[in-house]
Amino acid sequence: MKKISILLFLIFQQTFSQNLDIRRSYEISFCGKPQTIKLIEYQNGFVEGFLETKLTRKVLRKRKEIINKTSFDNVLVKKLMLDLKNAGIETLKKCNEDLDCHSIGFLDGDSLSFNIQIDSINKQAYFSEIYPESQTKEQIEKTELRRKVQILITIIDKEINLEKQFSDLIKGLKEGTYCYWTGISKVCIIHEEI
């Protein structure tokens, strides 16, 4: 009986650890809003994804952090991961590795960040003030690398509509003042129940 218990424990442990081994993941934190999307594919083929929004709310004299996670269904996660891969997310260069991108200066603005993991390789890249096309009145980035980044985040925005997700979240919160940082600026939203 003891041998069977040990065998079952080892099988369970192996199965559980395979579920946690990441094949690839894409984490993107957007400019202008406190939104981060995370898409994960595990070694066993299972996928998951979510949009995380972080706000603070002042309650009496204390600040309370509010973290909202909106999960996506597996079909959407697989589609987004395939579309992002096909658009070149896994070969994305850092801004400072590209002469045209690196030569553009911004003053204390917000930045877009990518954290890309493929098996055990992690890569991070940051870009100043790049927004999905829907948030720039269809304004197209001029340099090749910044345009590639804009295409990547536009792919996401077309599927999940970042502005609508944020608006719906705010509408669903209790009455109060909610704040977040964008660049060096603090943005506060006063939400009143109607």
Side-chain angles (χ1 to χ4, degrees):
M1 185 68 172
K2 189 174 184 180
K3 288 181 182 181
I4 292 174
S5 296
I6 292 172
L7 181 61
L8 287 174
F9 174 76
L10 291 173
I11 290 170
F12 176 75
Q13 184 179 15
Q14 179 67 23
T15 303
F16 184 71
S17 68
Q18 285 178 349
N19 288 339
L20 297 180
D21 291 338
I22 293 175
R23 177 179 294 155
R24 73 182 71 247
S25 74
Y26 308 144
E27 183 176 330
I28 301 138
S29 296
F30 295 91
C31 294
K33 298 279 190 297
Q35 296 172 303
T36 300
I37 189 168
K38 189 153 188 180
L39 306 169
I40 305 164
E41 178 187 4
Y42 296 96
Q43 293 291 349
N44 64 3
F46 180 75
V47 297
E48 67 176 328
F50 57 86
L51 175 67
E52 182 178 87
T53 307
K54 292 183 180 179
L55 300 166
T56 58
R57 179 175 184 229
K58 191 172 181 180
V59 180
L60 300 174
R61 293 182 183 187
K62 295 181 182 179
R63 297 200 184 282
K64 179 181 179 187
E65 186 173 58
I66 297 169
I67 299 173
N68 178 271
K69 279 188 179 180
T70 303
S71 295
F72 305 126
D73 67 47
N74 293 350
V75 174
L76 177 60
V77 174
K78 286 179 181 178
K79 180 182 184 337
L80 281 171
M81 291 190 86
L82 181 62
D83 290 350
L84 291 170
K85 183 178 180 184
N86 290 341
I89 193 170
E90 294 181 5
T91 59
L92 187 64
K93 289 196 283 187
K94 297 178 181 181
C95 186
N96 62 3
E97 296 172 342
D98 181 86
L99 188 59
D100 290 334
C101 183
H102 189 63
S103 67
I104 300 172
F106 292 89
L107 296 174
D108 300 324
D110 204 356
S111 66
L112 170 76
S113 70
F114 288 86
N115 188 354
I116 303 160
Q117 179 183 341
I118 303 163
D119 294 318
S120 62
I121 299 168
N122 258 341
K123 180 167 130 180
Q124 295 178 341
Y126 302 91
F127 300 89
S128 294
E129 301 197 29
I130 301 179
Y131 300 89
E133 292 171 12
S134 68
Q135 296 176 23
T136 62
K137 299 179 181 163
E138 309 294 324
Q139 182 178 350
I140 304 300
E141 287 291 332
K142 306 250 186 289
T143 69
E144 185 178 338
L145 179 57
R146 287 179 60 84
R147 178 63 183 142
K148 180 178 181 176
V149 170
Q150 187 177 42
I151 289 169
L152 290 169
I153 60 176
T154 297
I155 288 169
I156 295 166
D157 187 49
K158 283 183 178 177
E159 292 294 332
I160 64 171
N161 193 338
L162 295 164
E163 287 286 330
K164 183 176 182 332
Q165 292 283 341
F166 189 76
S167 176
D168 289 349
L169 171 64
I170 296 298
K171 287 177 189 174
L173 294 173
K174 295 178 183 176
E175 192 171 286
T177 301
Y178 298 88
C179 302
Y180 61 92
W181 287 92
T182 176
I184 62 166
S185 302
K186 185 176 185 179
V187 176
C188 291
I189 299 166
I190 299 171
H191 175 62
E192 298 175 353
E193 293 184 36
I194 300 174

